[in-house]
Amino acid sequence: MKKLLSVFIVLFSVVLLLCGCENVFSSKEVKITTTTTVTETTVQGNSELVTLAKETVATTTSKTLRYHSDLLSATFVIPNSWENKYAVEEGKDDKKSVTFYEKENHRNDGSGRLFTFAMYENRKGYKNLPNHEEYGTVIIDEITYYLVSYTPSDVPFDTKNKNLKKAYESMFDKNVIRTICKSVVFDSKAVIDRNGCSTSASTTEPSSTGVSGTSVTGTGSNPTTVSGLVFPDVSTRKLTAEEIKGKSTDEIQQAINDICAIHGYNFTTPSIKAHYQQFNWYKPSTNYSESSFNSVEKYNYELLQKYR
């Protein structure tokens, strides 16, 4: 009996043990939950969490300033540095003319004249004008006009007002004025004969006249001015970028050729050769060399190359 009782106690203890403790051999199901977080990127306002790569195409536009004269039926190219700084009067003194002014001086007391560009039917109208320059002739409606510009011979600004004096002097540049005058294009597409006027350059040196009415001023291989060239004084004056920009690609190339022609370059292109052969100053040489360029010609030659 005791034996049976002992067995019963042992069995009862085992049942209690199994009920009160975790059985490592049980088949309890363990659930493992995997959470996948998906982040959806959206643009909301000026979110700093998202950076969008955006391609920006920079477009550079260059504008050309022009002034159109109704009286002359012609258009002038104006340098960008003159934008909003100049004023214009047409038909001053009952002439076919356009007069450009520095705006602040002109608005202040009516002065500030920079230059006048005029069309004359004969040389008598301008030959005695001080500070005048000739740009050729043009035939419009069967009338031949001489194209001339002239600058003030007096002081066209208030010398007591430093600001007005500075404003005027910042614009008055004879090279810029020449460029503006040479840029003129007539509505009728009339072609300007650049050799139509005699040169107005003053000199004490002798000059010789070519077969086409052009002239060479000065002596030797480096004349002071050579009419018939894109820039008649290309051998003695350093050109400016502003005046070169006012020329066409063909004119720039011709200006380069002009320097070479002065020193006797023997052109092989028939049309170019024929162009220079009409001038008696052109002397083709087998000894042509760029080393014969003077310092001004070298400077102009290199500058022209940049804009070709």
mmCIF file of all heavy atoms in Angstrom, residues 90-115:
data_model
loop_
_atom_site.group_PDB
_atom_site.id
_atom_site.type_symbol
_atom_site.label_atom_id
_atom_site.label_comp_id
_atom_site.label_asym_id
_atom_site.label_seq_id
_atom_site.Cartn_x
_atom_site.Cartn_y
_atom_site.Cartn_z
ATOM 1 N N GLU A 90 16.291 115.954 -84.591
ATOM 2 C CA GLU A 90 16.425 115.819 -86.043
ATOM 3 C C GLU A 90 16.075 117.135 -86.741
ATOM 4 O O GLU A 90 15.258 117.911 -86.248
ATOM 5 C CB GLU A 90 15.518 114.702 -86.565
ATOM 6 C CG GLU A 90 15.878 113.331 -86.032
ATOM 7 C CD GLU A 90 15.178 112.200 -86.785
ATOM 8 O OE1 GLU A 90 14.560 112.470 -87.831
ATOM 9 O OE2 GLU A 90 15.258 111.054 -86.325
ATOM 10 N N GLY A 91 16.714 117.357 -87.894
ATOM 11 C CA GLY A 91 16.397 118.523 -88.699
ATOM 12 C C GLY A 91 16.820 119.839 -88.101
ATOM 13 O O GLY A 91 16.235 120.891 -88.398
ATOM 14 N N LYS A 92 17.855 119.823 -87.251
ATOM 15 C CA LYS A 92 18.321 121.064 -86.636
ATOM 16 C C LYS A 92 18.843 122.003 -87.722
ATOM 17 O O LYS A 92 19.553 121.585 -88.636
ATOM 18 C CB LYS A 92 19.421 120.754 -85.621
ATOM 19 C CG LYS A 92 19.749 121.891 -84.678
ATOM 20 C CD LYS A 92 20.757 121.416 -83.640
ATOM 21 C CE LYS A 92 21.155 122.539 -82.695
ATOM 22 N NZ LYS A 92 20.017 123.002 -81.885
ATOM 23 N N ASP A 93 18.493 123.277 -87.624
ATOM 24 C CA ASP A 93 18.888 124.299 -88.610
ATOM 25 C C ASP A 93 18.390 123.954 -90.011
ATOM 26 O O ASP A 93 19.036 124.275 -91.020
ATOM 27 C CB ASP A 93 20.415 124.466 -88.635
ATOM 28 C CG ASP A 93 20.972 124.884 -87.282
ATOM 29 O OD1 ASP A 93 20.265 125.620 -86.567
ATOM 30 O OD2 ASP A 93 22.094 124.465 -86.963
ATOM 31 N N ASP A 94 17.245 123.284 -90.078
ATOM 32 C CA ASP A 94 16.609 122.948 -91.362
ATOM 33 C C ASP A 94 17.497 122.103 -92.277
ATOM 34 O O ASP A 94 17.406 122.190 -93.508
ATOM 35 C CB ASP A 94 16.188 124.225 -92.102
ATOM 36 C CG ASP A 94 15.142 125.024 -91.336
ATOM 37 O OD1 ASP A 94 14.275 124.375 -90.705
ATOM 38 O OD2 ASP A 94 15.197 126.255 -91.349
ATOM 39 N N LYS A 95 18.332 121.294 -91.696
ATOM 40 C CA LYS A 95 19.186 120.408 -92.493
ATOM 41 C C LYS A 95 18.693 118.968 -92.374
ATOM 42 O O LYS A 95 17.969 118.610 -91.433
ATOM 43 C CB LYS A 95 20.639 120.482 -92.003
ATOM 44 C CG LYS A 95 21.324 121.824 -92.199
ATOM 45 C CD LYS A 95 22.828 121.704 -92.025
ATOM 46 C CE LYS A 95 23.220 121.286 -90.635
ATOM 47 N NZ LYS A 95 23.065 122.359 -89.654
ATOM 48 N N LYS A 96 19.098 118.157 -93.350
ATOM 49 C CA LYS A 96 18.854 116.709 -93.212
ATOM 50 C C LYS A 96 19.924 116.197 -92.263
ATOM 51 O O LYS A 96 21.020 115.783 -92.677
ATOM 52 C CB LYS A 96 18.942 116.016 -94.574
ATOM 53 C CG LYS A 96 17.785 116.344 -95.513
ATOM 54 C CD LYS A 96 17.935 115.637 -96.851
ATOM 55 C CE LYS A 96 17.708 114.130 -96.740
ATOM 56 N NZ LYS A 96 16.289 113.818 -96.435
ATOM 57 N N SER A 97 19.619 116.284 -90.995
ATOM 58 C CA SER A 97 20.634 115.967 -89.991
ATOM 59 C C SER A 97 20.029 115.328 -88.752
ATOM 60 O O SER A 97 18.833 115.478 -88.468
ATOM 61 C CB SER A 97 21.412 117.220 -89.592
ATOM 62 O OG SER A 97 20.537 118.129 -88.921
ATOM 63 N N VAL A 98 20.893 114.640 -88.018
ATOM 64 C CA VAL A 98 20.532 114.048 -86.736
ATOM 65 C C VAL A 98 21.616 114.454 -85.746
ATOM 66 O O VAL A 98 22.806 114.248 -86.011
ATOM 67 C CB VAL A 98 20.461 112.508 -86.804
ATOM 68 C CG1 VAL A 98 20.162 111.931 -85.431
ATOM 69 C CG2 VAL A 98 19.399 112.077 -87.796
ATOM 70 N N THR A 99 21.213 115.053 -84.633
ATOM 71 C CA THR A 99 22.175 115.490 -83.628
ATOM 72 C C THR A 99 21.980 114.677 -82.353
ATOM 73 O O THR A 99 20.864 114.566 -81.839
ATOM 74 C CB THR A 99 22.012 116.987 -83.315
ATOM 75 O OG1 THR A 99 22.192 117.741 -84.520
ATOM 76 C CG2 THR A 99 23.045 117.439 -82.294
ATOM 77 N N PHE A 100 23.071 114.124 -81.865
ATOM 78 C CA PHE A 100 23.053 113.310 -80.645
ATOM 79 C C PHE A 100 23.595 114.134 -79.480
ATOM 80 O O PHE A 100 24.596 114.847 -79.620
ATOM 81 C CB PHE A 100 23.904 112.055 -80.828
ATOM 82 C CG PHE A 100 23.303 111.049 -81.780
ATOM 83 C CD1 PHE A 100 23.432 111.211 -83.149
ATOM 84 C CD2 PHE A 100 22.614 109.941 -81.294
ATOM 85 C CE1 PHE A 100 22.886 110.293 -84.034
ATOM 86 C CE2 PHE A 100 22.062 109.013 -82.164
ATOM 87 C CZ PHE A 100 22.197 109.186 -83.536
ATOM 88 N N TYR A 101 22.926 114.016 -78.328
ATOM 89 C CA TYR A 101 23.303 114.752 -77.125
ATOM 90 C C TYR A 101 23.503 113.810 -75.949
ATOM 91 O O TYR A 101 22.893 112.737 -75.890
ATOM 92 C CB TYR A 101 22.202 115.753 -76.729
ATOM 93 C CG TYR A 101 21.880 116.809 -77.748
ATOM 94 C CD1 TYR A 101 20.968 116.554 -78.774
ATOM 95 C CD2 TYR A 101 22.465 118.071 -77.673
ATOM 96 C CE1 TYR A 101 20.656 117.532 -79.712
ATOM 97 C CE2 TYR A 101 22.145 119.057 -78.611
ATOM 98 C CZ TYR A 101 21.251 118.776 -79.625
ATOM 99 O OH TYR A 101 20.942 119.736 -80.551
ATOM 100 N N GLU A 102 24.326 114.243 -75.000
ATOM 101 C CA GLU A 102 24.368 113.580 -73.692
ATOM 102 C C GLU A 102 23.117 114.033 -72.958
ATOM 103 O O GLU A 102 22.883 115.235 -72.805
ATOM 104 C CB GLU A 102 25.643 113.974 -72.939
ATOM 105 C CG GLU A 102 25.884 113.155 -71.673
ATOM 106 C CD GLU A 102 25.011 113.606 -70.522
ATOM 107 O OE1 GLU A 102 24.925 114.823 -70.284
ATOM 108 O OE2 GLU A 102 24.382 112.739 -69.867
ATOM 109 N N LYS A 103 22.303 113.109 -72.519
ATOM 110 C CA LYS A 103 20.941 113.408 -72.072
ATOM 111 C C LYS A 103 20.877 114.334 -70.863
ATOM 112 O O LYS A 103 20.048 115.245 -70.828
ATOM 113 C CB LYS A 103 20.193 112.108 -71.770
ATOM 114 C CG LYS A 103 18.727 112.311 -71.434
ATOM 115 C CD LYS A 103 17.966 111.002 -71.421
ATOM 116 C CE LYS A 103 18.416 110.086 -70.307
ATOM 117 N NZ LYS A 103 17.589 108.864 -70.215
ATOM 118 N N GLU A 104 21.733 114.137 -69.869
ATOM 119 C CA GLU A 104 21.634 114.933 -68.647
ATOM 120 C C GLU A 104 21.936 116.408 -68.912
ATOM 121 O O GLU A 104 21.247 117.293 -68.422
ATOM 122 C CB GLU A 104 22.585 114.370 -67.580
ATOM 123 C CG GLU A 104 22.184 112.997 -67.051
ATOM 124 C CD GLU A 104 20.776 113.006 -66.474
ATOM 125 O OE1 GLU A 104 20.431 113.950 -65.744
ATOM 126 O OE2 GLU A 104 20.010 112.065 -66.762
ATOM 127 N N ASN A 105 22.984 116.673 -69.690
ATOM 128 C CA ASN A 105 23.303 118.060 -70.021
ATOM 129 C C ASN A 105 22.212 118.677 -70.881
ATOM 130 O O ASN A 105 21.835 119.833 -70.702
ATOM 131 C CB ASN A 105 24.644 118.123 -70.768
ATOM 132 C CG ASN A 105 25.836 118.073 -69.834
ATOM 133 O OD1 ASN A 105 26.246 119.089 -69.278
ATOM 134 N ND2 ASN A 105 26.399 116.882 -69.648
ATOM 135 N N HIS A 106 21.694 117.899 -71.818
ATOM 136 C CA HIS A 106 20.663 118.414 -72.726
ATOM 137 C C HIS A 106 19.384 118.736 -71.951
ATOM 138 O O HIS A 106 18.730 119.749 -72.207
ATOM 139 C CB HIS A 106 20.381 117.385 -73.809
ATOM 140 C CG HIS A 106 19.541 117.917 -74.926
ATOM 141 N ND1 HIS A 106 19.886 119.031 -75.662
ATOM 142 C CD2 HIS A 106 18.343 117.500 -75.430
ATOM 143 C CE1 HIS A 106 18.964 119.271 -76.565
ATOM 144 N NE2 HIS A 106 18.008 118.366 -76.452
ATOM 145 N N ARG A 107 19.064 117.907 -70.989
ATOM 146 C CA ARG A 107 17.865 118.125 -70.195
ATOM 147 C C ARG A 107 18.050 119.306 -69.251
ATOM 148 O O ARG A 107 17.102 120.017 -68.913
ATOM 149 C CB ARG A 107 17.536 116.859 -69.405
ATOM 150 C CG ARG A 107 16.246 116.921 -68.608
ATOM 151 C CD ARG A 107 15.826 115.546 -68.185
ATOM 152 N NE ARG A 107 16.874 114.816 -67.494
ATOM 153 C CZ ARG A 107 16.812 113.516 -67.206
ATOM 154 N NH1 ARG A 107 15.747 112.809 -67.583
ATOM 155 N NH2 ARG A 107 17.795 112.917 -66.574
ATOM 156 N N ASN A 108 19.291 119.547 -68.850
ATOM 157 C CA ASN A 108 19.574 120.602 -67.889
ATOM 158 C C ASN A 108 19.494 121.996 -68.510
ATOM 159 O O ASN A 108 18.814 122.888 -67.998
ATOM 160 C CB ASN A 108 20.960 120.392 -67.282
ATOM 161 C CG ASN A 108 21.279 121.403 -66.203
ATOM 162 O OD1 ASN A 108 20.564 121.520 -65.223
ATOM 163 N ND2 ASN A 108 22.368 122.143 -66.393
ATOM 164 N N ASP A 109 20.168 122.184 -69.648
ATOM 165 C CA ASP A 109 20.151 123.517 -70.257
ATOM 166 C C ASP A 109 20.155 123.490 -71.787
ATOM 167 O O ASP A 109 20.411 124.509 -72.430
ATOM 168 C CB ASP A 109 21.344 124.339 -69.759
ATOM 169 C CG ASP A 109 22.683 123.705 -70.116
ATOM 170 O OD1 ASP A 109 22.686 122.671 -70.809
ATOM 171 O OD2 ASP A 109 23.723 124.241 -69.699
ATOM 172 N N GLY A 110 19.880 122.333 -72.371
ATOM 173 C CA GLY A 110 19.806 122.245 -73.820
ATOM 174 C C GLY A 110 21.133 122.028 -74.515
ATOM 175 O O GLY A 110 21.186 121.926 -75.738
ATOM 176 N N SER A 111 22.235 121.951 -73.751
ATOM 177 C CA SER A 111 23.538 121.728 -74.366
ATOM 178 C C SER A 111 23.850 120.231 -74.371
ATOM 179 O O SER A 111 22.947 119.405 -74.371
ATOM 180 C CB SER A 111 24.615 122.515 -73.610
ATOM 181 O OG SER A 111 24.696 122.066 -72.269
ATOM 182 N N GLY A 112 25.110 119.871 -74.337
ATOM 183 C CA GLY A 112 25.483 118.455 -74.301
ATOM 184 C C GLY A 112 25.595 117.816 -75.670
ATOM 185 O O GLY A 112 25.543 116.588 -75.786
ATOM 186 N N ARG A 113 25.773 118.632 -76.733
ATOM 187 C CA ARG A 113 25.861 118.048 -78.085
ATOM 188 C C ARG A 113 27.121 117.207 -78.219
ATOM 189 O O ARG A 113 28.222 117.656 -77.938
ATOM 190 C CB ARG A 113 25.848 119.142 -79.157
ATOM 191 C CG ARG A 113 25.859 118.587 -80.585
ATOM 192 C CD ARG A 113 25.543 119.678 -81.602
ATOM 193 N NE ARG A 113 26.619 120.640 -81.749
ATOM 194 C CZ ARG A 113 27.631 120.494 -82.626
ATOM 195 N NH1 ARG A 113 27.685 119.423 -83.404
ATOM 196 N NH2 ARG A 113 28.569 121.419 -82.711
ATOM 197 N N LEU A 114 26.944 115.979 -78.682
ATOM 198 C CA LEU A 114 28.068 115.074 -78.910
ATOM 199 C C LEU A 114 28.548 115.172 -80.352
ATOM 200 O O LEU A 114 29.734 115.354 -80.613
ATOM 201 C CB LEU A 114 27.658 113.637 -78.586
ATOM 202 C CG LEU A 114 27.346 113.367 -77.112
ATOM 203 C CD1 LEU A 114 26.569 112.071 -76.949
ATOM 204 C CD2 LEU A 114 28.633 113.314 -76.289
ATOM 205 N N PHE A 115 27.617 115.058 -81.289
ATOM 206 C CA PHE A 115 27.967 115.211 -82.701
ATOM 207 C C PHE A 115 26.687 115.329 -83.534
ATOM 208 O O PHE A 115 25.596 114.983 -83.074
ATOM 209 C CB PHE A 115 28.805 114.035 -83.212
ATOM 210 C CG PHE A 115 28.031 112.748 -83.395
ATOM 211 C CD1 PHE A 115 27.525 112.378 -84.646
ATOM 212 C CD2 PHE A 115 27.801 111.900 -82.325
ATOM 213 C CE1 PHE A 115 26.822 111.202 -84.822
ATOM 214 C CE2 PHE A 115 27.086 110.721 -82.483
ATOM 215 C CZ PHE A 115 26.599 110.366 -83.740
#
